[in-house]
Amino acid sequence: MPLDTASISARFEDRVLTPVLTGAGPGGVRPRWWVSPLIVLVAGGLYGAAMGSWSIQTPERALLIPYAAIKVPMLILITTAICLPGYFVLSTVVGLRADFRAAFSSIAAGQAAVTLALGSLAPVTRFVYFSGIEHAGALVLSAGMFALATCVGYAVMLRRYRPLLQKNRRHRVMLAAWIAMYVFVGIQMGWMLRPFVGTPGMPVAFVRQEPVSNAYVAVGKILWQSLHEVRGAPATDAPRGRPYR
Amino acid sequence: MVINWLKQLDELLRGERVRGDLLLQGKIDLRLRVFVPLAIFLGCAYGFFMGFYALLGWRDQALMQLFATTVKLPALFLLTLAVTFPSLYVFNALVGCRMTFHATMRVLVGAIVVNLAVAASLGPILAFFSLSTTSYVFIVLLNVALLSVAGVISLSFLLRALRALARSRAHAEAASEAEQAMSRAQGLPEQGGQAPPPLPGYGDAPPTSPVFTRLSEREDPVLAAQRMRNAVAAAAARRADETVAKRESVANFILTIWVIIYMLVGTQMGWILRPFIGNPGTEFTWFRPREGSFFLAVWNAMHQFFGM
């Protein structure tokens, strides 16, 4: 039976792309609330699977594919769940409660757009892996893909948010607050859910079997050590300044 | 009951319980028997999230630290209110912004509820970082940042509400004075007669002034009295505006001073009630020795975190 690509793509546009872009599904009906999370689960899972398939020479390493497929949607959905109460209360306090539904559906559409973009980049990622790339290169590639997809998601979110921004200037503050919260929590969530690509030589695990750590503290230490090396002084782990009481 | 309380909390956060028109009438629909328990509950919620850091290391008495933090956080806010409320009330009374005791208390409790509601809503972020971070200074600075965000929102709510309250009192008093002046003006002759007596404060023009000269010599006394009433009304309105402006500026000054006092007492209260988070290197204790200050501690934490 031949594959009717025209029909499939038309249905994909009607049921997925158009609702995400415009907030209205077929016949102008508002899509159900679970459409965006479902897109995140499916498209995010697809990209996660591609991301985890960097090096699958052993059956054990092949486990990274389902692990990453689960973790990419987790990263987005749990981060949203953590930030949502704060966003809700802040929206209420600044007097934007009436627009909360519209604002949050714009944000959810942005997240769906990020994962759709990531999902569409999954074949590219797989192709680059197939062509041969080192671990560091795979990490940079993933970072680049996430950055690109985030730009697309931000554009979609802004497009959906625009009527609200025109309606009330306070929406700008709330949008900035959401982005700040989401990025702040998302970076740590991504750090917690490592590995996505899988470092060679390290045991395969859903999350790293090591004591929990903080992404910002880790980056701060690296920067501090680099600064010391540039200055020519020996790097030290010992904290400076007066001890905190 | 719980749903009703949550509904009232929602209305407070949406600003419906402290609407400008209600405040201008001097009405504050915040029942203390609802909002004080809500403040305690929301404080406990944030304290609970704050205490998560102690659980991470599973130190001895980690649960005790969690319990202590849960109890101490609402205490921090309510004790700060207890310490600073008398000063706000008395300052206001002394400078003539006579807001009622209950009105002021309700607005302050409302502000604390807003503060703790915002803080509690940011609690999941704090809990996530508490459970995924070993760095004590990071958690200290994160708590300071989250409570600062909640504090700024709460203070803007408080200033808005207190200014509206002060304005309502000033309006009420100015209106009362204007009414008195008008009632005195009503004593002017309606149908002929002698020149009216001078009106203290408003119509204290000497009998030789043009108004009285016209009244006694040439004009119809009824028209002259009408003109007099209009002059008194205009003067009363001008004086009312001046009174409102003067009271508002005084109220703003007092509120600014009081907010500074509130912030200083609040931060020092937090310092006295520490530990809230629980330094992993020390044993559990309900209170630490009284030494140093909050600002010095934050400065040291920043030094340590940024490696300065």
Side-chain angles (χ1 to χ4, degrees):
Chain A
M1 187 178 161
L3 199 62
D4 185 1
T5 50
S7 164
I8 291 171
S9 65
R11 284 174 66 182
F12 179 70
E13 282 172 22
D14 273 358
R15 299 191 178 183
V16 179
L17 291 182
T18 310
V20 167
L21 268 176
T22 63
V29 180
R30 183 186 285 176
R32 299 290 180 96
W33 67 266
W34 43 260
V35 170
S36 289
L38 186 66
I39 292 170
V40 171
L41 277 175
V42 175
L46 181 66
Y47 184 75
M51 201 178 177
S53 67
W54 169 62
S55 168
I56 46 174
Q57 289 89 353
T58 62
E60 195 193 17
R61 281 200 66 90
L63 278 174
L64 282 167
I65 295 175
Y67 285 172
I70 294 168
K71 286 192 289 184
V72 170
M74 267 177 78
L75 166 67
I76 293 168
L77 296 176
I78 297 178
T79 303
T80 303
I82 288 173
C83 297
L84 189 57
Y87 178 72
F88 176 75
V89 172
L90 288 174
S91 293
T92 306
V93 171
V94 299
L96 299 175
R97 175 67 169 279
D99 295 333
F100 176 76
R101 194 190 176 111
F104 190 67
S105 74
S106 307
I107 288 168
Q111 291 175 341
V114 168
T115 49
L116 277 172
L118 281 174
S120 70
L121 291 168
V124 177
T125 302
R126 189 68 210 107
F127 171 73
V128 176
Y129 284 178
F130 180 74
S131 310
I133 187 169
E134 293 297 313
H135 178 251
L139 291 179
V140 172
L141 176 72
S142 296
M145 295 296 177
F146 265 94
L148 184 59
T150 303
C151 291
V152 173
Y154 182 73
V156 170
M157 181 170 73
L158 211 56
R159 178 186 163 137
R160 292 278 302 272
Y161 227 103
R162 193 162 293 130
L164 296 173
L165 295 174
Q166 287 166 348
K167 186 176 164 188
N168 192 331
R169 290 176 67 87
R170 276 179 286 179
H171 276 294
R172 285 186 189 190
V173 178
M174 279 315 301
L175 185 60
W178 169 262
I179 291 170
M181 277 194 292
Y182 192 81
V183 169
F184 181 63
V185 176
I187 287 173
Q188 175 67 7
M189 185 65 75
W191 182 260
M192 287 285 293
L193 290 175
R194 292 168 303 150
F196 287 91
V197 175
T199 309
M202 288 192 79
V204 173
F206 190 72
V207 289
R208 289 236 170 115
Q209 303 297 309
E210 59 186 39
V212 292
S213 57
N214 183 301
Y216 300 99
V217 174
V219 170
K221 274 183 184 168
I222 291 167
L223 287 177
W224 181 241
Q225 283 176 355
S226 311
L227 204 64
H228 261 268
E229 282 164 16
V230 169
R231 281 180 183 172
T236 174
D237 286 331
R240 296 181 61 179
R242 273 177 286 184
Y244 181 76
R245 289 184 60 88
Chain B
M1 188 181 80
V2 174
I3 291 175
N4 183 34
W5 283 22
L6 287 176
K7 196 178 160 202
Q8 292 194 39
L9 172 64
D10 186 47
E11 286 171 356
L12 173 69
L13 294 176
R14 293 169 83 147
E16 289 173 5
R17 291 199 166 249
V18 283
R19 285 202 318 267
D21 55 332
L22 288 178
L23 290 174
L24 281 174
Q25 294 167 28
K27 291 179 185 169
I28 303 161
D29 190 14
L30 296 171
R31 289 165 62 195
L32 291 180
R33 71 178 64 170
V34 172
F35 284 93
V36 170
L38 270 174
I40 293 171
F41 172 75
L42 292 167
C44 287
Y46 185 81
F48 180 71
F49 290 126
M50 200 180 200
F52 271 29
Y53 181 74
L55 293 178
L56 183 68
W58 285 108
R59 296 181 303 138
D60 291 344
Q61 297 180 304
L63 288 175
M64 202 61 196
Q65 179 66 57
L66 180 67
F67 175 71
T69 311
T70 306
V71 172
K72 282 200 279 186
L73 206 98
L76 163 66
F77 283 86
L78 295 176
L79 287 174
T80 304
L81 175 66
V83 170
T84 52
F85 176 73
S87 61
L88 176 65
Y89 179 64
V90 172
F91 278 24
N92 274 314
L94 288 177
V95 295
C97 298
R98 291 184 286 277
M99 290 186 285
T100 66
F101 183 89
H102 282 108
T104 314
M105 175 64 94
R106 283 175 183 161
V107 169
L108 290 177
V109 170
I112 286 177
V113 170
V114 170
N115 191 336
L116 290 171
V118 173
S121 74
L122 299 172
I125 295 176
L126 176 63
F128 169 64
F129 276 95
S130 294
L131 291 174
S132 63
T133 301
T134 51
S135 170
Y136 177 63
V137 285
F138 180 86
I139 291 296
V140 170
L141 293 176
L142 180 62
N143 269 293
V144 170
L146 295 182
L147 286 173
S148 299
V149 168
V152 166
I153 291 170
S154 158
L155 283 179
S156 71
F157 164 90
L158 180 67
L159 282 174
R160 205 172 57 235
L162 285 177
R163 279 175 185 158
L165 262 180
R167 203 176 304 136
S168 78
R169 294 292 298 184
H171 271 293
E173 286 170 14
S176 162
E177 284 175 15
E179 198 176 321
Q180 282 175 16
M182 286 304 292
S183 69
R184 282 198 296 270
Q186 291 300 322
L188 294 172
E190 291 289 341
Q191 295 177 347
Q194 296 296 312
L199 289 167
Y202 294 94
D204 51 354
T208 53
S209 79
V211 173
F212 290 100
T213 308
R214 280 201 304 273
L215 177 67
S216 55
E217 291 177 0
R218 294 191 299 274
E219 270 191 87
D220 176 2
V222 175
L223 290 176
Q226 183 59 45
R227 193 200 313 280
M228 191 70 180
R229 274 195 289 275
N230 292 344
V232 168
R238 206 167 45 246
R239 181 167 282 203
D241 288 344
E242 285 168 5
T243 307
V244 169
K246 194 176 164 189
R247 296 257 164 86
E248 272 186 25
S249 67
V250 171
N252 281 342
F253 177 71
I254 289 297
L255 289 176
T256 308
I257 297 287
W258 185 82
V259 162
I260 292 170
I261 293 173
Y262 181 82
M263 280 167 30
L264 290 174
V265 172
T267 48
Q268 193 57 25
M269 185 69 77
W271 184 248
I272 287 171
L273 292 179
R274 77 197 199 285
F276 284 91
I277 299 165
N279 192 329
T282 58
E283 285 296 309
F284 168 74
T285 172
W286 276 92
F287 300 103
R288 286 197 194 139
R290 270 178 278 166
E291 58 187 6
S293 76
F294 170 82
F295 297 104
L296 190 62
V298 171
W299 177 250
N300 285 341
M302 288 174 74
H303 256 263
Q304 203 171 328
F305 185 70
F306 294 109
M308 288 185 283

